[in-house]
């Protein structure tokens, strides 16, 4: 079974700071997704990456897929309170999703 | 598009009673739906895969008789927590596969058993 380890587990920062969240897999990803979940809600898809070395940007969020497709990172520039939430990397195949351990981000004004 | 509606959003029940949670795909047909459990400040844990017209596939360690799943139509899957106990209190989330690589999640149900 594929295991996805995220780091850090918790991150508490001030508005305007930059941060990076990492996701490491015990095996090669077929495809990888990043989700954000706010308290009391279901996860919402941010991005899907498929190709090794791929970089995608979503406003202040930059997603990178490792060349070997065993790791990924999410970088947030100038974090804002609205970025607060649980960030999840997810491996998906034709059967089901496998969730990472999660990174809980708190951005203070 | 690809909206999943989950009800109720929260429920409080007494120990020993059963609780049913519904997951509906509103604008697409979902042959496969998934049920997750999430403990406070933790990630989602897959409980079972619900297949329309057939038996659900449960993950290791999940009690089939405790968590009954029914997927009787292409738009509805239900999870029934039978004889609920306080340790069953949790946040339950459903999702549906809306296409290749597209998974849509319900807004979750917070179950509290007293």
């Amino acid at each position: 079974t594929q295991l996805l380890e995220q780091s850090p587990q918790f991150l508490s920062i001030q508005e305007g700071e930059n941060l990076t969240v990492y996701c490491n897999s015990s095996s090669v990803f077929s495809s990888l997704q990043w989700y954000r979940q706010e308290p009391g809600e279901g996860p919402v898809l941010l991005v899907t990456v498929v190709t090794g070395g791929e970089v995608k940007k979503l406003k202040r969020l930059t997603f990178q897929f490792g060349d070997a497709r065993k790791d990924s990172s999410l970088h947030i520039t100038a974090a804002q309170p609205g970025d607060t939430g649980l960030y999840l990397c997810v491996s998906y195949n034709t059967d089901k999703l496998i969730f990472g351990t999660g990174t809980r981000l708190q951005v203070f004004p | 598009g690809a909206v999943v509606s989950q009800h109720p959003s929260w429920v409080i029940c007494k120990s020993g009673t059963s609780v049913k949670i519904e997951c509906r795909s509103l604008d697409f047909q979902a042959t496969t739906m998934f049920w997750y459990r999430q403990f406070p400040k933790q990630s989602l844990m897959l409980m079972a895969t619900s297949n329309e017209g057939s038996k659900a596939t449960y993950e290791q360690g999940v009690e089939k008789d405790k968590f009954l799943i029914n997927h009787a139509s292409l738009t509805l899957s239900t999870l029934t927590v039978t004889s609920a106990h306080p340790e069953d209190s949790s946040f339950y989330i459903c999702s549906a596969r809306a296409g290749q690589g597209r998974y849509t999640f319900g807004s979750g149900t917070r179950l509290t058993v007293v």
Side-chain angles (χ1 to χ4, degrees):
Chain A
T1 303
Q2 186 177 23
L3 300 175
L4 305 183
E5 192 74 31
Q6 285 183 238
S7 62
Q9 280 188 309
F10 303 99
L11 198 52
S12 182
I13 62 173
Q14 290 292 129
E15 182 176 3
E17 292 184 27
N18 302 331
L19 67 114
T20 302
V21 177
Y22 299 93
C23 174
N24 290 284
S25 172
S26 57
S27 56
V28 174
F29 288 105
S30 53
S31 302
L32 181 137
Q33 298 180 322
W34 284 93
Y35 288 78
R36 180 172 67 211
Q37 182 185 24
E38 298 187 19
E41 298 289 332
V44 175
L45 178 64
L46 296 175
V47 76
T48 299
V49 287
V50 178
T51 306
E54 185 175 3
V55 177
K56 282 192 174 180
K57 291 192 175 184
L58 183 65
K59 297 183 180 178
R60 293 176 294 99
L61 278 60
T62 301
F63 304 86
Q64 189 159 5
F65 201 14
D67 291 339
R69 292 163 56 213
K70 290 188 69 176
D71 60 275
S72 179
S73 64
L74 158 59
H75 182 79
I76 301 180
T77 303
Q80 298 179 1
D83 296 327
T84 293
L86 178 66
Y87 288 82
L88 299 158
C89 67
V90 181
S91 172
Y92 82 89
N93 54 35
T94 54
D95 295 321
K96 57 190 178 185
L97 300 179
I98 299 173
F99 281 81
T101 49
T103 295
R104 187 163 297 279
L105 171 66
Q106 177 82 52
V107 182
F108 292 97
Chain B
V3 177
V4 169
S5 175
Q6 185 174 342
H7 291 282
S9 55
W10 60 270
V11 58
I12 301 174
C13 70
K14 292 184 177 180
S15 286
T17 61
S18 296
V19 174
K20 181 184 285 188
I21 302 170
E22 293 188 347
C23 182
R24 293 180 184 273
S25 57
L26 298 184
D27 50 1
F28 68 101
Q29 294 182 332
T31 55
T32 305
M33 291 186 175
F34 306 88
W35 288 96
Y36 297 86
R37 183 172 181 176
Q38 185 176 31
F39 291 103
K41 300 184 179 181
Q42 293 188 24
S43 186
L44 279 70
M45 180 189 73
L46 179 65
M47 298 174 65
T49 302
S50 170
N51 303 295
E52 186 270 334
S54 64
K55 291 183 178 180
T57 303
Y58 289 81
E59 295 298 303
Q60 191 172 7
V62 178
E63 299 177 59
K64 301 178 183 181
D65 296 332
K66 169 67 125 177
F67 300 101
L68 298 180
I69 292 173
N70 184 278
H71 195 155
S73 77
L74 287 171
T75 59
L76 174 64
S77 175
T78 60
L79 168 67
T80 301
V81 183
T82 63
S83 187
H85 291 283
E87 57 266 31
D88 298 325
S89 298
S90 193
F91 193 56
Y92 293 88
I93 305 174
C94 70
S95 77
R97 185 157 54 217
Q100 179 65 28
R102 291 183 61 206
Y103 294 82
T104 302
F105 289 81
S107 54
T109 297
R110 181 158 304 284
L111 169 64
T112 302
V113 185
V114 298

